[in-house]
């Protein structure tokens, strides 16, 4: 007997990894809450919670090759506060996709990473 799961994906439909991760969830019979994070960016509090679930620092959730990373004046020595502020202002620099479920999270790079949340 399976209990309904509360699963959220921070999704970018233009990203192949994000689409593949969503397909993987659906293949497992999971219909997640989909947050298109470029349209509805996570708040700073949400980002801090996600980082806590992942057990990583803000820089480890950043897409450092995005132009917005450089435009925000960020570099590898930037502190978490500066990076989180930039992520709120420029959500394109948030790594994707992120799947959150029951106080845990995984980054779908590769998409199979999210299986760890459910196995």
């Amino acid at each position: 007997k399976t209990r309904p799961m509360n699963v959220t994906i921070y999704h970018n439909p233009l990203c192949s990894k994000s689409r593949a991760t969503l397909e993987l969830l659906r293949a497992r019979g999971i219909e997640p809450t989909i947050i298109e994070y470029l349209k509805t960016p996570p708040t700073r509090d949400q980002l801090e919670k996600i980082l806590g679930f992942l057990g990583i620092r803000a820089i480890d959730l950043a897409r450092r090759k995005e132009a917005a990373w450089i435009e925000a004046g960020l570099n590898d020595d930037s502190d978490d506060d500066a990076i989180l502020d930039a992520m709120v202002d420029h959500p394109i620099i948030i790594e994707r996709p992120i799947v959150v479920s029951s106080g845990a999270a995984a980054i779908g790079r590769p998409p199979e990473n999210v299986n760890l949340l459910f196995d």
Side-chain angles (χ1 to χ4, degrees):
K1 186 173 164 176
T2 59
R3 58 184 175 76
M5 291 186 138
N6 184 5
V7 178
T8 300
I9 182 171
Y10 290 87
H11 179 60
N12 178 349
L14 299 178
C15 170
S16 62
K17 298 280 187 221
S18 200
R19 290 192 308 271
T21 301
L22 182 56
E23 282 176 31
L24 187 146
L25 291 172
R26 288 176 169 157
R28 291 186 75 113
I30 298 166
E31 186 53 47
T33 300
I34 299 171
I35 298 175
E36 287 191 35
Y37 72 94
L38 294 177
K39 293 179 183 171
T40 310
T43 64
R44 188 182 170 110
D45 282 351
Q46 288 170 317
L47 284 169
E48 287 174 345
K49 255 191 200 126
I50 290 166
L51 289 173
F53 294 157
L54 290 167
I56 61 174
R57 294 186 49 227
I59 197 163
D60 301 319
L61 191 63
R63 295 174 61 86
R64 291 177 271 178
K65 292 187 171 86
E66 290 290 340
W69 171 264
I70 296 151
E71 288 162 16
L74 298 171
N75 60 53
D76 291 349
D77 297 322
S78 297
D79 65 21
D80 284 4
D81 279 339
I83 295 169
L84 285 167
D85 287 344
M87 287 177 167
V88 171
D89 293 340
H90 309 284
I92 190 75
I93 65 176
I94 301 170
E95 187 57 89
R96 61 185 179 247
I98 304 164
V99 176
V100 179
S101 176
S102 306
I107 299 171
R109 291 193 163 268
E112 295 73 29
N113 278 354
V114 303
N115 286 325
L116 299 172
L117 293 173
F118 309 110
D119 291 339

